[in-house]
Amino acid sequence: MIGHILWLGGGAVLCLCCLYIGWVLARYYQDNPPRKTHTAPYSSAKTPLHQMALDELVELIPGMALILDPMGQILACNQAAQEHYKESLRAILRHPNSRAILHEALATSPSTGPHAIHTAIVHLDVPIKHTIRLAMRHLSGPQGRDKMVLTLLTDHSTEQAMDRMRADFIAHASHELRTPLASLSGFIDLLKDNEGTTDQASRTLYLQIMSQQATRMQRLVERLLYLSHLQLRSHNRPHTRLDVGELFALIVGEVLPRFTDNTRNLTVEQEEDHLTLLADEDEMIQLFLNLIENAIRYGTTPDHALQVRLCARREGTGILLSVSDNGPGIAPHHLPRLTERFYRVTDNKQTNPAEVEEGTGLGLAIVQQIVERHKGHLRFLSPPHEGTICRIWLPAAPAL
Amino acid sequence: MPQQGQHIVQRYGEDLRRLRSFMEEMGGLVEHQLSLILTAFTETDAQAISQVIHHDKAIDALENEVETQAIRLLALHGPMAADLREIVANIPMAGTLERIGDYARSIARRLHQMEQPIPPHDRLALSEIGRMVLEHLHRVMDALEHQDATAAHSVWQADHRVDEYCATMTHNYLERMTQQPRALRFYISLLFIIRNLERIGDHITDIAERIIFIATGTLPPPTARPHGHAAQSIATEQEASTP
């Protein structure tokens, strides 16, 4: 009898326990729903649970972190690293310097003492110059299985860019300023040596040339400074939203004084409203000013009025902006070199040589730099008898 | 025995990953060579040049590794479909990467033997072409890793820009050679460098074609590649006008 009661009581307690555990579990999952596995592009063939743990682990690390397998494949990669390097991540990892420390890190094992940290510096030249410091450390699971390498990345591009900017600036400035400076000092000597004997007409001529050269030097320095400034900022992509219509309105406002007479004409065509870019407004204005200035400088002919057209339309995942003119165009063998720094088209007979002389050869290099910072593409076309067309494709801003 | 079967599958996966890792490493080395050459273009850097030549041995060794590994995979596992295409295509691709490395080395040698410093403007032009080629190589190596036919195709199409740039520079040097016959040797070196860069670009399109083959099973038609027509006409015009 007592035995029966005990059995029944035990059964009831067991049932209650089961119910309680069930309830607790239900509550727990209500509060902490099971985490969805990341749809990380770099997931490997590990079990989902393992993958989840790795993903969670790298996300916990402040800064940019990755976990690699012994063959250098990415097992897990945190948001910070993915956002910062995107397409370049693989290129960083296959660089011989990173490969070398990966092998070094794998060669150390827990039995030989505490895991050492191995570091290397990697320089990438394209698409944008980057300097990255990698630190790797060997991790391994129980009994030395599941070998993995934890990798931390730190970006030193800005410091590097600063150094390079100084070097570049000095190299180019010293070389490019030499010519106008020589001409300036030549005329100064001429005036000084023949003081009193120079007639008024030649004096005026000399001074005119001197002031031209001085202006040229000034422009050169300004442009070089601007280019350096752009290079320094090339690592961070702009984040502000910019409406193409508003941008065009600003540009038109800026250049209108140069289009007041009948010999020049500016038209703006925008196929659809609400084209939005992620772009820096000042840089975009500078870009169009440079292109329009070039159109005026190289496109003006005595035969007919100059037509400059600004167009914008959607193309693919981005927006295609173009500046075209109806000038004499550019010979095909110049086209590939247009954006080269200090390259100037000099053999164009129709344009005024004095105007060409004024150019610094940096305008389109600046345009190129701006387009690169915005992750876009730039292309010049000059079909025979159709003038010059500059096409700029920039990625569209994501929908709000 | 299911366990043994699983083991074989695991081994196969590991072998294939190892093959990919070799290719990646080779790509990394060749990219580094080109990037060192870019440095040598902008500043005279003897260390960079010697490093380019130094990498060559490692690249040769890796080419052998890729070949051995590919043959091993074919012999032991009898892969099929996309895997088979990938493994077979890796052998010529490794050869192509090795050729690119050779061109890089030859550019390095020429730079080392230059008797006079390269004028700053030419340095800029050379590094522009070099940057373009390096970017294509980066993109093609990424496309290989993701077996991305679209990305490979875009590189394949972009090569004509390299061709055009090279043709323009060739034109420019030929003109200057007629004006300064004393500097002939110097300009010939520059012409060779340009030529090598252009060949590197062509080899990159080769790799791109093979990636398209791996991913889709078909090769793009041999005539479809857009050449720089405008630039080519300049080159032929130049050849015609020189007696």
Side-chain angles (χ1 to χ4, degrees):
Chain A
M1 188 63 190
I2 294 173
H4 277 254
I5 292 170
L6 273 180
W7 273 111
L8 275 173
V13 168
L14 203 69
C15 279
L16 279 175
C17 282
C18 284
L19 277 173
Y20 180 71
I21 291 170
W23 180 72
V24 165
L25 276 178
R27 279 291 302 274
Y28 177 78
Y29 277 113
Q30 217 170 11
D31 294 344
N32 314 301
R35 254 188 76 152
K36 264 189 266 171
T37 39
H38 277 295
T39 45
Y42 302 118
S43 65
S44 76
K46 294 275 169 184
T47 57
L49 185 71
H50 189 163
Q51 184 63 50
M52 240 169 74
L54 288 183
D55 284 341
E56 215 153 321
L57 177 69
V58 281
E59 281 306 337
L60 287 176
I61 298 170
M64 298 178 277
L66 310 163
I67 293 180
L68 304 177
D69 76 356
M71 305 225 197
Q73 290 303 308
I74 300 171
L75 294 176
C77 167
N78 71 2
Q79 287 280 318
Q82 255 186 55
E83 270 165 26
H84 201 273
Y85 291 117
K86 282 189 188 113
E87 323 77 67
S88 305
L89 206 49
R90 295 302 323 167
I92 296 168
L93 292 175
R94 63 175 178 257
H95 193 281
N97 293 1
S98 353
R99 281 285 172 154
I101 59 164
L102 178 69
H103 294 312
E104 271 174 32
L106 284 167
T108 57
S109 74
S111 54
T112 59
H115 290 190
I117 295 170
H118 301 266
T119 58
I121 302 273
V122 166
H123 298 284
L124 282 192
D125 288 301
V126 288
I128 286 168
K129 290 199 179 195
H130 270 301
T131 303
I132 304 110
R133 184 171 173 275
L134 293 101
M136 291 194 186
R137 183 176 194 161
H138 185 179
L139 307 172
S140 53
Q143 291 111 43
R145 274 185 297 156
D146 290 334
K147 284 186 168 190
M148 282 177 287
V149 176
L150 176 67
T151 308
L152 297 183
L153 306 172
T154 34
D155 197 284
H156 294 263
S157 308
T158 322
E159 291 97 313
Q160 197 72 23
M162 197 71 143
D163 288 348
R164 203 172 31 239
M165 183 201 88
R166 272 193 215 113
D168 272 12
F169 184 82
I170 291 166
H172 295 312
S174 57
H175 185 260
E176 291 299 316
L177 289 177
R178 209 176 283 159
T179 329
L181 202 56
S183 135
L184 255 186
S185 56
F187 281 109
I188 290 174
D189 285 346
L190 204 63
L191 285 174
K192 210 168 64 185
D193 293 349
N194 308 332
E195 222 181 338
T197 58
T198 328
D199 60 280
Q200 194 55 39
S202 358
R203 239 180 103 86
T204 322
L205 179 68
Y206 295 166
L207 284 172
Q208 198 188 340
I209 298 172
M210 281 166 72
S211 99
Q212 258 175 19
Q213 293 297 335
T215 323
R216 186 172 139 67
M217 281 170 73
Q218 200 178 351
R219 282 169 58 87
L220 206 72
V221 171
E222 272 166 18
R223 295 237 152 157
L224 270 172
L225 279 172
Y226 188 68
L227 196 62
S228 307
H229 160 80
L230 284 176
Q231 273 171 342
L232 211 55
R233 307 210 300 173
S234 60
H235 306 101
N236 37 20
R237 232 180 121 172
H239 288 292
T240 44
R241 299 174 74 89
L242 182 62
D243 184 79
V244 175
E246 285 169 25
L247 172 70
F248 277 180
L250 284 171
I251 294 162
V252 169
E254 193 114 359
V255 297
L256 213 56
R258 305 193 66 174
F259 286 90
T260 42
D261 51 355
N262 298 333
T263 57
R264 291 174 191 156
N265 207 331
L266 180 72
T267 47
V268 177
E269 285 167 36
Q270 193 179 343
E271 279 186 10
E272 96 189 68
D273 281 343
H274 308 300
L275 295 173
T276 320
L277 300 164
L278 276 187
D280 183 305
E281 191 182 279
D282 290 340
E283 286 181 16
M284 281 294 144
I285 292 176
Q286 186 64 49
L287 182 155
F288 279 98
L289 287 185
N290 285 4
L291 290 173
I292 294 170
E293 190 186 329
N294 269 13
I296 294 174
R297 176 173 296 153
Y298 299 101
T300 309
T301 49
D303 321 337
H304 53 260
L306 176 74
Q307 293 271 359
V308 179
R309 277 174 53 207
L310 302 182
C311 300
R313 67 180 157 89
R314 210 173 277 280
E315 185 166 292
T317 55
I319 293 164
L320 189 72
L321 303 164
S322 70
V323 177
S324 48
D325 66 56
N326 62 343
I330 301 169
H333 64 273
H334 289 302
L335 287 177
R337 298 188 68 188
L338 288 179
T339 56
E340 209 176 287
R341 272 176 285 174
F342 305 113
Y343 187 76
R344 280 182 290 159
V345 177
T346 45
D347 64 2
N348 211 329
K349 289 161 196 82
Q350 277 150 310
T351 45
N352 180 2
E355 288 257 311
V356 174
E357 198 48 48
E358 255 179 45
T360 52
L362 287 173
L364 294 181
I366 287 173
V367 169
Q368 165 93 343
Q369 192 78 35
I370 294 174
V371 172
E372 264 176 31
R373 181 176 173 223
H374 290 78
K375 302 258 186 242
H377 310 288
L378 172 70
R379 179 111 225 231
F380 288 93
L381 304 167
S382 185
H385 316 299
E386 280 181 43
T388 311
I389 305 162
C390 172
R391 281 197 186 152
I392 301 148
W393 181 91
L394 296 173
L400 277 176
Chain B
M1 279 187 284
Q3 260 202 324
Q4 202 188 340
Q6 203 186 1
H7 180 70
I8 288 172
V9 171
Q10 252 179 20
R11 272 303 292 275
Y12 172 62
E14 205 183 306
D15 280 355
L16 190 58
R17 283 210 299 279
R18 179 159 294 134
L19 176 68
R20 287 177 185 153
S21 160
F22 284 144
M23 282 301 285
E24 218 186 312
E25 194 163 351
M26 249 186 121
L29 279 167
V30 177
E31 279 171 347
H32 190 221
Q33 277 188 322
L34 276 183
S35 132
L36 287 167
I37 283 177
L38 273 181
T39 321
F41 280 158
T42 43
E43 56 210 85
T44 319
D45 187 344
Q47 208 190 344
I49 288 172
S50 69
Q51 216 177 341
V52 173
I53 295 165
H54 175 78
H55 275 337
D56 211 50
K57 284 195 198 96
I59 292 172
D60 285 350
L62 274 167
E63 190 197 358
N64 282 334
E65 295 270 24
V66 168
E67 240 171 72
T68 322
Q69 189 72 9
I71 290 170
R72 187 188 142 89
L73 272 160
L74 290 175
L76 291 183
H77 304 285
M80 284 190 286
D83 280 1
L84 175 63
R85 290 199 296 271
E86 183 189 346
I87 294 163
V88 171
N90 268 334
I91 300 173
M93 275 197 288
T96 313
L97 279 176
E98 192 264 338
R99 293 291 299 148
I100 296 176
D102 282 351
Y103 284 122
R105 192 186 57 182
S106 119
I107 295 174
R109 288 241 165 92
R110 294 237 169 237
L111 283 174
H112 185 59
Q113 289 161 0
M114 283 283 182
E115 299 147 344
Q116 62 189 89
I118 307 174
H121 286 210
D122 292 311
R123 284 176 185 273
L124 288 173
L126 285 174
S127 45
E128 278 296 307
I129 303 178
R131 270 179 55 107
M132 221 190 270
V133 171
L134 180 56
E135 198 187 329
H136 289 179
L137 186 58
H138 268 306
R139 276 161 54 190
V140 95
M141 287 310 298
D142 286 343
L144 174 64
E145 265 169 59
H146 304 129
Q147 304 204 348
D148 182 346
T150 335
H153 198 262
S154 83
V155 178
W156 186 72
Q157 277 188 320
D159 183 58
H160 74 99
R161 298 189 70 172
V162 177
D163 290 351
E164 277 169 16
Y165 214 132
C166 290
T168 298
M169 291 314 293
T170 309
H171 177 71
N172 181 306
Y173 291 145
L174 287 175
E175 248 175 23
R176 280 150 68 180
M177 274 160 100
T178 52
Q179 288 157 8
Q180 316 169 26
R182 277 163 170 257
L184 267 187
R185 194 190 283 268
F186 173 70
Y187 282 117
I188 287 174
S189 290
L190 284 181
L191 277 177
F192 269 110
I193 291 175
I194 294 283
R195 176 82 188 140
N196 284 345
L197 285 172
E198 197 208 320
R199 294 296 297 146
I200 293 176
D202 292 344
H203 277 85
I204 292 170
T205 61
D206 258 24
I207 299 177
E209 276 171 23
R210 299 215 185 260
I211 295 167
I212 297 171
F213 173 70
I214 293 171
T216 65
T218 48
L219 274 173
T223 50
R225 191 164 80 86
H227 280 284
H229 288 299
Q232 261 189 345
S233 67
I234 299 165
T236 43
E237 172 198 296
Q238 186 68 29
E239 275 157 31
S241 66
T242 40

